[in-house]
Amino acid sequence: MKKKIFAILLLVVAVVICVTKWGKWFGNPPEAAYEPQTQLSRLLLTVGPEPNERYLSWQYGSEVQSGWLDYCSKGGGDTFTVETRSRVYQSRAGVGAYFSALMSGLAFDSAYDYRVRVAHDTTEWFHFRMPKRDSTLSFLYFGDVQDELDEVGLDTLLPQIVERTPDAAMLLFGGDLIERPMDRYWGKVFSTLGEHATSYPIVSVPGNHEYLKGVVRHLEGRFPLVFPYYGDLGPEDNALFSFSMGDVRFFLLDSNKDSWNLLPQRFWLEEQLKDCKERWKVVVLHHPIISIKGSMNNFLVKQLFDDLVREYGVDLVLQGHEHGYARFNVAHDDSGEMSEPLRLVSFCSRKEYPLSFHGDVARWGTDDRYYQRITVSDTMLSLESFTADHQLYDKVRILKKNGKRVCVADSVDAPERVYVSEWFRKNKSAKRVKEFEENIAKWRQSVGAY
């Protein structure tokens, strides 16, 4: 009898929890109604399947119709015209037509002009430059952005960041580029990217904020239309893509999928790593393979991918999601060879979450926005992390010489920033703030930071 009563009580508690948490776990905030773009707008340049290809996407109207992309070498030469593909997407609150086209046969170390045409409308000419094929490659990495509509965020920082990295070949994002999968937040992203959206390849993996919640979550359909290198994705498909720049191969994963969809990603990644011919390997995914919020967080992601990135000599793993900065120490074997990749978790958002300060982490960071400048040559990969005021916060290098990889951390003058941010104090309960303060105090004591 007692067992039956106990079972009934457990069932009642479970039902109450599900009822009170259902909206948070499985619900989506309503999207405000919006109108289709009445001009050729939201152009975005991104990468293609081959190193000498570039995709372009944009929006216009609400109907499938013919469009064209014209491109030519800057300053003259033959003009090539590509007929575009268009698709109409019906979201929860509106409809819009999305266009994409692929520029092929581009010459390395060359500048190009391009424009798009649909119906009687034509854009101005835009410009971009292809990187040198075999020279040093530089690119910028950003973790979660998630700027609110009325927030001064990456939009003020990005022009300053790009100005400081004039040779950047790409802007790479680790997911949660948008706050919610809604038209107004996509508008915020394009406003933030500004002219850089048409002059630098913009690349992103999906984050959980690009997903619609539900008993079964799925990537909201606008994401692969904005980033057409993902191709035609259905609700059950994995957003996976591999591309190269210079002598670097990038592997983009979709760590947001439900557990039964992650195993095919493991198979895909293993085959891709086996076939990789490039000298450097970089894996990008939203959820950290080793969490900085708790040892059991992202458990399946760790189980499915950690051994692969070790076994196949991945050099760098770029991650986000947990709204803290962490660069992990890199283990070396008895011969001095790296036995695991360099792992980085970073964020460029005002939102901050409590960290557990566990694991073999060499450098922590909170209470700021961070971005990375990554430079890759034949013999060295250099990763530099900066704060929102562009101060160097962290620097580490991977050296490849005589068939051996060695990871070396460079000393940086900036003190380690580990504080409870004002955002956290304003947006979280007093209990959560106190817990975070206690975690930080324990960490400071453990490392002798007082």
Side-chain angles (χ1 to χ4, degrees):
M1 186 66 177
K2 290 182 178 179
K3 290 183 178 179
K4 287 185 178 180
I5 294 174
F6 182 69
I8 292 171
L9 287 174
L10 281 180
L11 180 62
V12 170
V13 170
V15 170
V16 170
I17 291 174
C18 285
V19 169
T20 56
K21 296 289 188 179
W22 186 269
K24 181 178 180 180
W25 289 346
F26 305 113
N28 298 285
E31 179 177 8
Y34 63 91
E35 297 296 325
Q37 299 295 312
T38 57
Q39 297 179 325
L40 295 165
S41 58
R42 298 186 180 179
L43 278 72
L44 184 132
L45 182 71
T46 189
V47 295
E50 298 297 330
N52 64 341
E53 295 179 332
R54 292 288 182 267
Y55 264 118
L56 189 76
S57 67
W58 69 94
Q59 294 180 44
Y60 180 76
S62 59
E63 299 177 353
V64 171
Q65 56 184 309
S66 297
W68 295 268
L69 167 63
D70 303 321
Y71 65 99
C72 63
S73 295
K74 188 172 180 62
D78 294 335
T79 297
F80 300 92
T81 298
V82 181
E83 189 166 3
T84 63
R85 177 184 182 183
S86 63
R87 290 184 61 186
V88 171
Y89 181 72
Q90 175 72 59
S91 75
R92 295 174 296 149
V95 64
Y98 290 74
F99 294 75
S100 64
L102 182 66
M103 291 179 273
S104 301
L106 303 172
F108 296 103
D109 195 22
S110 298
Y112 285 89
D113 298 328
Y114 68 92
R115 67 179 182 181
V116 298
R117 297 180 283 125
V118 179
H120 300 293
D121 289 343
T122 304
T123 66
E124 62 181 291
W125 288 91
F126 298 98
H127 320 282
F128 71 95
R129 186 173 189 87
M130 292 290 291
K132 295 179 181 179
R133 182 163 193 169
D134 299 318
S135 66
T136 299
L137 173 73
S138 291
F139 64 94
L140 293 165
Y141 175 71
F142 303 88
D144 307 39
V145 177
Q146 293 181 247
D147 284 338
E148 293 286 357
L149 299 177
D150 57 352
E151 186 175 56
V152 176
L154 185 59
D155 50 355
T156 61
L157 293 178
L158 191 59
Q160 302 168 17
I161 294 170
V162 173
E163 184 180 6
R164 285 167 168 77
T165 313
D167 58 344
M170 169 180 61
L171 276 59
L172 176 62
F173 293 86
D176 282 5
L177 180 58
I178 57 176
E179 170 60 16
R180 296 289 175 190
M182 301 178 182
D183 182 77
R184 56 183 180 171
Y185 285 111
W186 278 114
K188 174 70 172 180
V189 166
F190 278 95
S191 174
T192 294
L193 293 174
E195 63 182 10
H196 307 305
T198 58
S199 54
Y200 292 89
I202 309 297
V203 178
S204 182
V205 298
N208 56 294
H209 279 247
E210 278 86 33
Y211 265 64
L212 284 174
K213 296 180 183 179
V215 176
V216 177
R217 297 168 294 169
H218 67 272
L219 181 61
E220 211 262 354
R222 280 171 280 206
F223 191 82
L225 295 175
V226 173
F227 297 101
Y229 52 77
Y230 282 121
D232 295 321
L233 294 182
E236 300 303 319
D237 293 328
N238 290 298
L240 304 172
F241 187 64
S242 172
F243 70 98
S244 66
M245 275 193 179
D247 211 9
V248 185
R249 171 65 61 171
F250 296 86
F251 307 90
L252 310 185
L253 298 175
D254 182 4
S255 60
N256 311 276
K257 280 292 187 183
D258 292 296
S259 57
W260 53 87
N261 280 317
L262 285 177
L263 188 58
Q265 293 194 36
R266 176 187 169 88
F267 299 148
W268 175 87
L269 179 60
E270 185 165 21
E271 289 302 313
Q272 290 285 322
L273 290 171
K274 284 180 180 178
D275 294 340
C276 180
K277 302 297 191 295
E278 286 77 13
R279 183 171 176 79
W280 299 90
K281 304 180 186 75
V282 178
V283 169
V284 189
L285 71 166
H286 186 58
H287 292 76
I289 294 176
I290 299 177
S291 171
I292 56 175
K293 292 192 67 181
S295 59
M296 293 303 292
N297 275 29
N298 313 332
F299 178 78
L300 282 175
V301 173
K302 180 179 180 180
Q303 296 303 311
L304 289 171
F305 300 126
D306 189 45
D307 63 325
L308 290 184
V309 299
R310 293 170 182 265
E311 180 181 353
Y312 290 97
V314 170
D315 300 289
L316 176 64
V317 180
L318 296 172
Q319 305 146 118
H321 184 62
E322 296 184 338
H323 290 235
Y325 179 87
R327 173 178 58 81
F328 287 77
N329 280 309
V330 176
H332 294 75
D333 62 23
D334 293 339
S335 68
E337 167 78 8
M338 284 173 58
S339 56
E340 61 181 332
L342 171 62
R343 307 167 190 264
L344 181 86
V345 180
S346 187
F347 71 114
C348 197
S349 169
R350 293 194 182 279
K351 293 182 179 180
E352 296 197 31
Y353 304 150
L355 309 180
S356 66
F357 302 104
H358 75 283
D360 193 12
V361 174
R363 183 77 161 164
W364 290 101
T366 67
D367 193 28
D368 213 322
R369 291 184 168 205
Y370 300 85
Y371 68 91
Q372 284 70 46
R373 181 169 63 204
I374 301 167
T375 305
V376 189
S377 67
D378 183 50
T379 59
M380 183 177 68
L381 183 152
S382 171
L383 185 150
E384 297 174 297
S385 293
F386 298 88
T387 54
D389 59 356
H390 313 294
Q391 297 300 306
L392 181 63
Y393 185 74
D394 194 13
K395 183 176 181 180
V396 63
R397 293 171 293 146
I398 300 174
L399 307 176
K400 286 192 176 183
K401 189 175 181 180
N402 299 326
K404 182 182 292 186
R405 296 184 305 162
V406 178
C407 188
V408 179
D410 295 311
S411 60
V412 174
D413 291 336
E416 210 158 14
R417 292 184 60 84
V418 182
Y419 309 101
V420 179
S421 70
E422 286 302 312
W423 182 92
F424 195 91
R425 294 183 185 280
K426 290 179 181 178
N427 289 275
K428 301 298 180 180
S429 67
K431 180 181 178 181
R432 296 288 300 278
V433 171
K434 184 178 179 181
E435 289 174 351
F436 197 9
E437 288 176 333
E438 290 173 350
N439 282 345
I440 291 173
K442 290 178 182 177
W443 169 80
R444 288 188 179 280
Q445 186 174 25
S446 69
V447 298
Y450 284 107

